[in-house]
Amino acid sequence: MLKITDLNVAYGEVQVLWDVNMEIHESEVVALIGANGAGKSTLLYTISGLLKPKSGSIQFNGTEIAGLPADEILRLGIGQVPQGRHLFAGMTVKENIMMGAYLRKDKQKVKEDFDFVLDLFPRMGERLNQPAGSLSGGEQQMCAVARGLMAAPKLLLVDELSLGLAPLVVENIYNAVEKVIQRGMTVLIVEQDVFLALEQADRAYVLDVGRIVMSGPADELMENPRIKEAYLGI
Amino acid sequence: MSKRVLVLLVVLLVAAMALAACGGSQATPAPSGGEEQSTSGTTEEQASTEEACKVVFGAAVSLTGKYAKEGEYVKNGYELYVEEINKQDGIPVGDKKCMVELKIYDDESNADRSAQLVEKLITEDHVTFLLGPYGSGNTFATTAIAEKYKVPMVEANGAATKIFNRGFKYSFAVLSPAPNYLRGIIDMALDKDPNLKTVAIVIENGAFALEVAQGAKDYAEEKGLEVVYFDKYAKAAKDVSSLITAMKSKNPDIVLGAGHLQDTILVMKQSKDLGLSPKVFGFSVGPTSPEFRKALGKDADYVVGAAQWTPELKYKSDDIFGTPQHFTELYKAKYGEIPPYQAAESAAALIAYQKAIEAAGSLDKDKVRDALAALDYDSFYGKLKFNEQGMNVYKPMAVMQNYTDGGLYTVWPKEAAVKEFLYPFKPWDER
Amino acid sequence: MESLQFTQGIVNAILLSGTLALVAIGFSIVWGILNIINLAHGAFLMVGAYITYWLFTLYGIDPFLSLPISMAIMFVVGYLVQRYLINMVIRAPLLVTFLLTFALEIVIINLATFFWKGDLRSVTPDYAGLGFSLGNVQVPYVRLAAFFISLILTGLLHVFMTYTKTGNAIRATGMDIDAARLQGVRIPQTYALTYALGTALAAGAGTLISISFPIDPTMGGAYTLRAFVICVLGGLGSIPGVMMGSVVFAFIEVFSGIWFPSLKDAIALLVLVLVLIVRPSGIAGKAFYH
Amino acid sequence: MSDREKKKAPLQYSLFDGLFQGRQGVLLGLFTLFLIFLAIFPFLSFASGFWLNTLTLILLLAAMAIGWNFIGGYTGYAAFGNVAFFGFGAYGTGLSMTKLGLSFFPSLLIGALAAMLFAIVMGLPILRLKGHYFAIATVAIATAMGEIADSWTSFTGGAAGITLPFFDPIEWSGQFFYYMSLLLAVGGLLLTWFILNRKMGYSWIAIREDEDAANMMGINTTWAKVMAFALSALMAGLAGGIYAYWKTFVLAEEVFKIEYTLQMILAAVLGGTGTIFGPFIGAFIYYILITLLVFFLPVGQLHATILGTIIILVMVFTPKGLMDFISGRKKISINSLLENIRTYRV
Amino acid sequence: MEREILLETHEATKHFGGLAAVEKVNMKIYRGEILGLIGPNGAGKTTFVNIITGMLPITSGKVIFKGTDITGWPAYRIGRLGIARTFQIVKPFRGMTVRENVAVGAMFGHKGQTRSPREALEHVDEIIEFVGMSDLRDKHADQLTLPYLKRLELAKALAMDPELLFLDEVMAGLNTKEIEAAMELVRKINARGITILVIEHVMKAIVGVTERVFVLNFGQELAQGKPEEVLNNPAVIKAYLGEKFVQRFFRQQQAA
C-alpha cells in the first residue's frame, strides 16, 4: 500500500533521514519506534506532504506521492494525527472534528463517521461546543484522533499519542485506536511507549538517527532485548 | 573578482557627477522632463530679428500632491499672462521689448522639493525673476532661497503674514494678507442685519487659517460681535462633527470657517448632517471655487466665501487685461472655465513685475526690486502696492455667494455686487 | 460639557463605530490569518469609495446599490494582489511585508491621483444629509443606514467564518497552518481568499464612507492607522473583539474631538501606546474569528 | 579572498565584512575617493546651489539612515517612527535659538539631547514590544508628537511654527549646511564603526539574531536596545537641528512627516541593513533615483508610482539590499533574484 | 564528606495558565559534579532550566546559587553570576562568525567585565579549538550543520566562564560516533572545574558521564540517585517505555 524507497530528507543543509526504506501493506498496523530526534516525525511529515524529500520515492497504492501538495495526499487517502495534537485552539471541539472532513463531499457518510467518533470518544460529545484550547491534555488528544479519523483515510499516521498523558488516559485512547484498527484501517503508529506500539502493531521499524536499524514482526521485536538498548541507548 | 564591484561603484560615482555636470552645464539645453513646462510665445526668427532679449520667470508650483488643483490654477494664471504679453512682443524694457519665458517645475506640494527647485531655477536655469508657489508653507520655504540669492520673488498664493515678518527685502505678495480675509463677510452681514450678535469660528490648524481666524476674531470684536466659539480642527481632518455639535450648542448667528476648500466642504456636509443652521455661513476659502458647488450640489446654496478677486469686480486698468471681465473672457477661451481667483492673482504677480520692470527700465534684479517696493498701480486685479514688509494691504477682499440658481455671484463690496446678498441662510430642515 | 454635545457625541460615536468596525475587521482578518500588516488597506478602501463615486456620477447608480459592485470588484483585485504579489514575500521578515504593502499603497494612491485628480469629491444622492431629530440630537439617515449595513456585513462575515467550511478553513489556517494543511486546506488559495475578503470589506467600508464623508485619494491612510489601533484595543482575531474595539475607539475619538479638537488623533494614538505598554500584545488575548 | 590573505589577517572581524568582504582595498579606496569628492564638491565649477542643496538633503538622509540602522538594522527592531527624533531635534534647536536666544551649536546640542532623552523615556516601555506592535507603537508616537507640536501654540508656536534667524552671512549658508551634513553623515559612519568595535555592537547584533540567547549570555538587552534607540535618535536629532536652521523655520507638518521615516528605512534597505556603508550608499542611490525620476525621465506625475514599483521590486527580489551584490557576496543572476521568492512564499 | 552545594531549588514551581509544568521541585547541585536530568518528553525539564536561568518568571519557590537568592533575577544577571546554558533548539547568532558568536560569551559572561572585544576574540580561540571547530572559526553561523551548531552552543556557553553549566539535549540528533565525542567533551569540561547539569534523552550518554541522575515526570521529581540504580528503577523505565513493557522486560530478565 505504501512503499518508501531510499528516502532522504533534509532541513536546509541538515540531513535528517538517510535512505529510509519502508513498506506498509493493506490493513496492516505498523509501528515506528526510535529515540527522540531520530527523525520519526520528519518521516511522517514527509509522507503527508508537509516536507519535500531531497531524494527517494514514496508510492501510495502505486501513485508516486513524494513532493505532492498535502491536500492531494490527503485526497489519495493518507491522514495524520500530528504530534503535539495541533488542534485549532480557538475553534470548538465540533469545528475541530469537522475540519477533519474538510475535503469530503459525501455528507451522509460524514454524518455517520461523526457519530462513530463520538461513539468512540463519548467525552467529545459532552464537550462539542467548548473551545478546543480549553480541553485537558487527554481530551485534546482524543479530539485530534477524532479529527484525524474524520478524513476517513485509507492509511492513518498517528504520532506520539501518549505524549505527556497520564497512563489511564493513554489506555483509553489506545482502546479507541484499537477499535479503529479492528474496522480495518491501515495504521502507522509512532510511539515512545514501546510496548503500547508493539502491542498494537503487526510489524515495526526502529529508526535511529535518521536510519532504519531494525525491523520485523512486532512479537519478535518485543522479545528482543536490544530494543531497550536501541531505545534507551544503554 | 572585483571588476563588477568596481564597475558598480564607478557607475555610481559617474552617475552622481554626470548628474551634476549635466544639470550645471549651460551649453546643454534645459532638460525636457515631464515636470517642466516651458512656454514661449515667440519663434526663432522673431527672436533673431531683434536683439535677443528675454525675461525668464521661474516658479515651483504644485502640479501633483495635495495642492495639485490649486497649483493648476496658478500655472494657468502665469501662462495666460505670458501668452498675452508675448502677443505684444513682450515687456518693454527701456527702449526695447523683451519676450517672456516661463519655467515651471512641479514641487509635489512638498516644501523641501519647492526650495530645492527654486535653488535650481536660480543657480542652474538662471531665471531672471521668481514667481511664487502655491500655499503658505511652500512660499515660506522658497522666499528664504530668493532672499539668499537676492533674486526678487513676487508671489501670489501665500497669504500668511509670518512669511513677511522676517525682514525680507526680495519678497512681495500681491494678495491681501490672511487677517483681512473674513472682514468683508463680517461687514456685509452687519450691513444686512445689524442685529446679529454672535459669531462662531472654526479653524483649520494651519499657518494661514490661524491668521485668518485671528484677524476675523479681532475684527468681529471690534464690530461689537461676541465670539462664542473659537476652536481649531486638525489639518486634513476627515470628521469635524464634534466641533459642529459644539457650535450648534452655542446657537451662533454667524458661522465663519477659516481653512481651505477640502475642509470647508467637510464642515458644510457635517453641518447639514447635524442640523447646524446659522443665519450666515461664510468661509475664507472654498465657496468661490467651482469644486465647492460640484461637491455639495444644492447644499452649496446661500454659502458665502471670501475672494481675493472675482470676475465681476468693477476695476479698470491699463494693463494687458484691462478689466476683470476681459481677463475672464481670455481665461475662459483658453481653459474653458470661469477663472478662480488663484489664477487672477497669479497673473497679477506678473503684472506687478511688468510695471516694475517698465519703471526700472532694466532687468537688473536690484533695480526691479526697488521698483517693486515703490510700485503703486491699479491693475485688473485691484491695487498693487506693497508695504514695507512686502505685503499688499491696500486691496479689499470681495465676497461671493452661491446662489439658489446654481450660480456664483459677487455680492460684496456693494459697488461691485451683481446680485443682492441672499439672507438669511435657509435652515436645512426647511429646504 | 453641555448636554447636547454629550448626547450628540454619543450618537456620533455609535454611528462612527459601525463603519470603523467594518474597516477594522478586514484589516484584522488579514493580520490575524496572514500575519501581515496590510498598509494598503486604506488604499483599497479609497478605491471602493471611488468606484461608488463613479458609478453614481456617471451612471446615477445609487451608492447603496453600488455596495455589492465595489465589494465584488475589490474582492477580485485583492485575490490577485495577494496571489501574485504579496504571496511572494508572505513569510519574509516584518520589514519586507511592511514596506511592500506601503509601496503598494503609494502606487494605488498615486495612480488614483493621476487618473481622478487630487481634489475632494462627494457622493450626493438626494437624500444625503437628511435625517431625523431626537430632541435636539440629529441622526442622519445615511449614517444610520451605513451603521446598520456595517452591522449586517459584520454579521454575515461572522456567519461565514463560523458556519461554512471555507470560513472554518480560514480560521484553521490562522490558528495552525501545518494542521490546516494536514486537513487538506490549500494554504495559498486560503491566503488569497482571506486577503480578498479583507479587501472587499475595505471597499465596502469605502462605499459607506463615501456617502457620508468627502473622499479623496489620500483618505485611506487615516483609516489604516485606526484599523490598527482598533485591532490592538479589541484583540487580534475575534470579530466581537473588533466590534468592542471600534466602539471604544469611536468614543475616544469623538470625545477627545470635543474636548481637544486639534488633538484627537494624538489622544487615540497615545491610548494605543498606553495599552501596548500595559498589555504588550493587545487587550484581548488570541481568539480566533468567531 | 585567497588563502594567503586569510593567513595574513588572522583576526577577521566579520562585523565589518558587510561591505568589504575580501575586497577591502578596492572598495575602501573607491569610497575614500568618493568622500574626497564630496569634501571638495563645493569648490568644483559645476557645483551650483542646486546641487549643494540636493547633496545636503542626501547627506542628511544618509545621516538619518545611518541612525536608523542602529535600531532597525543592527538591533533588528522595525522602528517606524524615527522622524519623531528628527522633529525633536528640529524643535529643540529652534526653540533654543528663539526662546533662549542661544547660538546655533549649543542649540543643536540641546535639540539632539532632547531627542535622545525622549528616545530613552519612550524606549524603556516600548522596546519591550515585539514585531508589528513595536513598529506601530513607534508610528503612533511619532504621529502623536507631531500633532502635539502642531497644536501646542503657546510652546511650539503651533501650526504657525517657529521662525529661526538666518545663517550669517547668508551667501555662505549653502556651503555651511552642506559641510554640517557631510560632517554628520561621516561622523555617523565613524560612530557605526566605533560601536561595532565595542561590546555594544556585539550586543546589538546578538539581540537581532536571538534576544533570548543574548540575554542568557549576560547581555543587558534592555540597556543595549535603549542605547541603540537613543543613538538612533541622536543622529536624527542632529539632522533635524541642522535641517531647521537650514530651512530657517520649523513646522510640525514638515519635520514630523512620516515620509522621512520611510525615506531613511528605504535608504538603509536599498543599501543593505546591518552594514556600515549600506545606509550611506543607499541614501545616494535612493535620492539619485528620485532626482532622475523627477527631473530627467518623462514619467510626469507618475513618479510616485515608479518609486513604489521600485520598492516592490526590491522587496520581492533583493530585500537584503544591494550591498550583497556590491560586495560580491551574491552574484547577480536570475536564480539569486528568485531565491528570495522561493524562500518566502507559501 | 559534605559537599558544597552550588545551586539549590526550593519547591520550584512553574504554571502555564492552569497547567503545572514544574511542580515543587527540590534539587541540589553540588560543586564539581555532573548531574543528569532526565525524563520523558514533556516532563518539564527545559521549563525547569528556564525558570532557574531567568528565561521564564518562576511561579513560586526559590532558586539559590552560591548562597545568593537569585529568584526573579533577569537572565543576564544570572548569566554574569556564573550560570551558563545551551538551548535545546539551538540559538546561534546567525549574522556572526563562529568566533564572534563565542566571543559574545567571553565579553558578557562571568568574567566579561574585564575583557575588551579584542581580548575576548583572542581568548575564545582556545575554546573553539577545545570544541573542535578551529577550521570553522571564520564561517558564519548560518553555514553550519546541526552537529556543529550544537557544539557552537557549547562553546558560547563555555566562553562565559561559568561555574555551573546547563546542557540541554546537546546530543539529540547526533549519531553514535558523535555522541561518543560529545560525552568526551562533557567530561573534559567538567575536568576544567565546571559543574554540569546534563539534560538528555540519550541514556547511554547519561550513564556514561553523570555521577547522579535526577528524574522528572509530569513536572515532579520521580527519582534521583546513581545512574545505574535510577535506570533500573521500574518507575523510571515505566515512564519511558510503558508499564506493560517493563513487566514483560523484567519477566524476561528474570527468566534469563
PDB file of all heavy atoms in Angstrom, chain E residues 171-188:
ATOM      1  N   MET E 171      22.997  16.407  22.737  1.00  0.00           N
ATOM      2  CA  MET E 171      23.321  15.227  21.933  1.00  0.00           C
ATOM      3  C   MET E 171      22.169  14.732  21.070  1.00  0.00           C
ATOM      4  O   MET E 171      22.350  13.806  20.285  1.00  0.00           O
ATOM      5  CB  MET E 171      23.801  14.100  22.848  1.00  0.00           C
ATOM      6  CG  MET E 171      25.092  14.498  23.554  1.00  0.00           C
ATOM      7  SD  MET E 171      25.592  13.299  24.755  1.00  0.00           S
ATOM      8  CE  MET E 171      26.513  14.308  25.901  1.00  0.00           C
ATOM      9  N   ALA E 172      21.023  15.311  21.232  1.00  0.00           N
ATOM     10  CA  ALA E 172      19.879  14.857  20.436  1.00  0.00           C
ATOM     11  C   ALA E 172      20.191  15.036  18.960  1.00  0.00           C
ATOM     12  O   ALA E 172      20.712  16.061  18.541  1.00  0.00           O
ATOM     13  CB  ALA E 172      18.637  15.654  20.806  1.00  0.00           C
ATOM     14  N   GLY E 173      19.879  14.017  18.171  1.00  0.00           N
ATOM     15  CA  GLY E 173      20.083  14.115  16.740  1.00  0.00           C
ATOM     16  C   GLY E 173      21.513  13.821  16.311  1.00  0.00           C
ATOM     17  O   GLY E 173      21.838  13.940  15.144  1.00  0.00           O
ATOM     18  N   LEU E 174      22.366  13.454  17.237  1.00  0.00           N
ATOM     19  CA  LEU E 174      23.736  13.100  16.848  1.00  0.00           C
ATOM     20  C   LEU E 174      23.826  11.586  16.677  1.00  0.00           C
ATOM     21  O   LEU E 174      23.092  10.825  17.317  1.00  0.00           O
ATOM     22  CB  LEU E 174      24.726  13.544  17.930  1.00  0.00           C
ATOM     23  CG  LEU E 174      24.741  15.025  18.282  1.00  0.00           C
ATOM     24  CD1 LEU E 174      25.877  15.330  19.247  1.00  0.00           C
ATOM     25  CD2 LEU E 174      24.857  15.903  17.049  1.00  0.00           C
ATOM     26  N   ASN E 175      24.740  11.126  15.834  1.00  0.00           N
ATOM     27  CA  ASN E 175      24.893   9.685  15.692  1.00  0.00           C
ATOM     28  C   ASN E 175      25.852   9.142  16.756  1.00  0.00           C
ATOM     29  O   ASN E 175      26.468   9.900  17.502  1.00  0.00           O
ATOM     30  CB  ASN E 175      25.308   9.308  14.269  1.00  0.00           C
ATOM     31  CG  ASN E 175      26.687   9.843  13.938  1.00  0.00           C
ATOM     32  OD1 ASN E 175      27.533   9.985  14.819  1.00  0.00           O
ATOM     33  ND2 ASN E 175      26.904  10.159  12.669  1.00  0.00           N
ATOM     34  N   THR E 176      25.969   7.832  16.798  1.00  0.00           N
ATOM     35  CA  THR E 176      26.693   7.193  17.897  1.00  0.00           C
ATOM     36  C   THR E 176      28.109   7.741  18.057  1.00  0.00           C
ATOM     37  O   THR E 176      28.553   8.022  19.162  1.00  0.00           O
ATOM     38  CB  THR E 176      26.753   5.683  17.641  1.00  0.00           C
ATOM     39  OG1 THR E 176      25.486   5.288  17.119  1.00  0.00           O
ATOM     40  CG2 THR E 176      27.026   4.926  18.915  1.00  0.00           C
ATOM     41  N   LYS E 177      28.763   7.893  16.916  1.00  0.00           N
ATOM     42  CA  LYS E 177      30.140   8.366  16.989  1.00  0.00           C
ATOM     43  C   LYS E 177      30.192   9.784  17.543  1.00  0.00           C
ATOM     44  O   LYS E 177      31.028  10.117  18.392  1.00  0.00           O
ATOM     45  CB  LYS E 177      30.755   8.334  15.582  1.00  0.00           C
ATOM     46  CG  LYS E 177      32.127   7.683  15.551  1.00  0.00           C
ATOM     47  CD  LYS E 177      32.644   7.638  14.131  1.00  0.00           C
ATOM     48  CE  LYS E 177      33.563   8.809  13.860  1.00  0.00           C
ATOM     49  NZ  LYS E 177      33.851   8.988  12.427  1.00  0.00           N
ATOM     50  N   GLU E 178      29.266  10.593  17.057  1.00  0.00           N
ATOM     51  CA  GLU E 178      29.236  11.975  17.514  1.00  0.00           C
ATOM     52  C   GLU E 178      28.913  12.050  19.000  1.00  0.00           C
ATOM     53  O   GLU E 178      29.423  12.901  19.724  1.00  0.00           O
ATOM     54  CB  GLU E 178      28.202  12.776  16.703  1.00  0.00           C
ATOM     55  CG  GLU E 178      28.642  13.046  15.275  1.00  0.00           C
ATOM     56  CD  GLU E 178      27.494  13.412  14.348  1.00  0.00           C
ATOM     57  OE1 GLU E 178      26.314  13.227  14.732  1.00  0.00           O
ATOM     58  OE2 GLU E 178      27.766  13.866  13.234  1.00  0.00           O
ATOM     59  N   ILE E 179      28.055  11.123  19.439  1.00  0.00           N
ATOM     60  CA  ILE E 179      27.698  11.115  20.852  1.00  0.00           C
ATOM     61  C   ILE E 179      28.918  10.782  21.704  1.00  0.00           C
ATOM     62  O   ILE E 179      29.166  11.428  22.729  1.00  0.00           O
ATOM     63  CB  ILE E 179      26.555  10.110  21.113  1.00  0.00           C
ATOM     64  CG1 ILE E 179      25.247  10.690  20.556  1.00  0.00           C
ATOM     65  CG2 ILE E 179      26.419   9.824  22.599  1.00  0.00           C
ATOM     66  CD1 ILE E 179      24.093   9.748  20.622  1.00  0.00           C
ATOM     67  N   GLU E 180      29.690   9.826  21.246  1.00  0.00           N
ATOM     68  CA  GLU E 180      30.912   9.480  21.974  1.00  0.00           C
ATOM     69  C   GLU E 180      31.777  10.728  22.146  1.00  0.00           C
ATOM     70  O   GLU E 180      32.268  11.021  23.241  1.00  0.00           O
ATOM     71  CB  GLU E 180      31.723   8.436  21.194  1.00  0.00           C
ATOM     72  CG  GLU E 180      31.051   7.087  21.008  1.00  0.00           C
ATOM     73  CD  GLU E 180      31.093   6.255  22.271  1.00  0.00           C
ATOM     74  OE1 GLU E 180      31.801   6.671  23.209  1.00  0.00           O
ATOM     75  OE2 GLU E 180      30.388   5.230  22.330  1.00  0.00           O
ATOM     76  N   ALA E 181      31.958  11.434  21.055  1.00  0.00           N
ATOM     77  CA  ALA E 181      32.807  12.626  21.092  1.00  0.00           C
ATOM     78  C   ALA E 181      32.228  13.661  22.051  1.00  0.00           C
ATOM     79  O   ALA E 181      32.962  14.284  22.833  1.00  0.00           O
ATOM     80  CB  ALA E 181      32.930  13.218  19.697  1.00  0.00           C
ATOM     81  N   ALA E 182      30.905  13.802  21.986  1.00  0.00           N
ATOM     82  CA  ALA E 182      30.268  14.792  22.850  1.00  0.00           C
ATOM     83  C   ALA E 182      30.441  14.416  24.322  1.00  0.00           C
ATOM     84  O   ALA E 182      30.668  15.279  25.174  1.00  0.00           O
ATOM     85  CB  ALA E 182      28.795  14.916  22.493  1.00  0.00           C
ATOM     86  N   MET E 183      30.326  13.131  24.606  1.00  0.00           N
ATOM     87  CA  MET E 183      30.491  12.692  26.000  1.00  0.00           C
ATOM     88  C   MET E 183      31.886  13.011  26.509  1.00  0.00           C
ATOM     89  O   MET E 183      32.076  13.483  27.624  1.00  0.00           O
ATOM     90  CB  MET E 183      30.250  11.175  26.095  1.00  0.00           C
ATOM     91  CG  MET E 183      28.788  10.800  26.084  1.00  0.00           C
ATOM     92  SD  MET E 183      28.544   9.048  25.783  1.00  0.00           S
ATOM     93  CE  MET E 183      29.337   8.335  27.210  1.00  0.00           C
ATOM     94  N   GLU E 184      32.845  12.758  25.634  1.00  0.00           N
ATOM     95  CA  GLU E 184      34.219  13.045  25.995  1.00  0.00           C
ATOM     96  C   GLU E 184      34.373  14.538  26.306  1.00  0.00           C
ATOM     97  O   GLU E 184      35.012  14.930  27.282  1.00  0.00           O
ATOM     98  CB  GLU E 184      35.124  12.637  24.817  1.00  0.00           C
ATOM     99  CG  GLU E 184      36.617  12.704  25.084  1.00  0.00           C
ATOM    100  CD  GLU E 184      37.009  11.958  26.356  1.00  0.00           C
ATOM    101  OE1 GLU E 184      36.432  10.876  26.600  1.00  0.00           O
ATOM    102  OE2 GLU E 184      37.858  12.473  27.120  1.00  0.00           O
ATOM    103  N   LEU E 185      33.729  15.333  25.483  1.00  0.00           N
ATOM    104  CA  LEU E 185      33.790  16.774  25.651  1.00  0.00           C
ATOM    105  C   LEU E 185      33.209  17.187  27.006  1.00  0.00           C
ATOM    106  O   LEU E 185      33.773  18.012  27.720  1.00  0.00           O
ATOM    107  CB  LEU E 185      32.998  17.430  24.513  1.00  0.00           C
ATOM    108  CG  LEU E 185      33.390  18.823  24.084  1.00  0.00           C
ATOM    109  CD1 LEU E 185      34.861  18.882  23.739  1.00  0.00           C
ATOM    110  CD2 LEU E 185      32.550  19.230  22.882  1.00  0.00           C
ATOM    111  N   VAL E 186      32.077  16.580  27.351  1.00  0.00           N
ATOM    112  CA  VAL E 186      31.438  16.915  28.623  1.00  0.00           C
ATOM    113  C   VAL E 186      32.376  16.588  29.782  1.00  0.00           C
ATOM    114  O   VAL E 186      32.539  17.378  30.716  1.00  0.00           O
ATOM    115  CB  VAL E 186      30.097  16.164  28.776  1.00  0.00           C
ATOM    116  CG1 VAL E 186      29.535  16.348  30.173  1.00  0.00           C
ATOM    117  CG2 VAL E 186      29.098  16.643  27.742  1.00  0.00           C
ATOM    118  N   ARG E 187      33.006  15.432  29.695  1.00  0.00           N
ATOM    119  CA  ARG E 187      33.947  15.066  30.771  1.00  0.00           C
ATOM    120  C   ARG E 187      35.083  16.073  30.857  1.00  0.00           C
ATOM    121  O   ARG E 187      35.494  16.463  31.944  1.00  0.00           O
ATOM    122  CB  ARG E 187      34.510  13.659  30.501  1.00  0.00           C
ATOM    123  CG  ARG E 187      33.529  12.567  30.861  1.00  0.00           C
ATOM    124  CD  ARG E 187      34.205  11.199  30.880  1.00  0.00           C
ATOM    125  NE  ARG E 187      33.234  10.189  30.466  1.00  0.00           N
ATOM    126  CZ  ARG E 187      33.194   9.641  29.263  1.00  0.00           C
ATOM    127  NH1 ARG E 187      34.096   9.963  28.339  1.00  0.00           N
ATOM    128  NH2 ARG E 187      32.267   8.769  28.962  1.00  0.00           N
ATOM    129  N   LYS E 188      35.568  16.479  29.677  1.00  0.00           N
ATOM    130  CA  LYS E 188      36.679  17.432  29.677  1.00  0.00           C
ATOM    131  C   LYS E 188      36.255  18.779  30.265  1.00  0.00           C
ATOM    132  O   LYS E 188      37.039  19.431  30.974  1.00  0.00           O
ATOM    133  CB  LYS E 188      37.190  17.631  28.238  1.00  0.00           C
ATOM    134  CG  LYS E 188      38.281  16.629  27.874  1.00  0.00           C
ATOM    135  CD  LYS E 188      38.464  16.512  26.370  1.00  0.00           C
ATOM    136  CE  LYS E 188      39.078  17.759  25.756  1.00  0.00           C
ATOM    137  NZ  LYS E 188      39.114  17.658  24.267  1.00  0.00           N
TER     138      LYS E 188
END
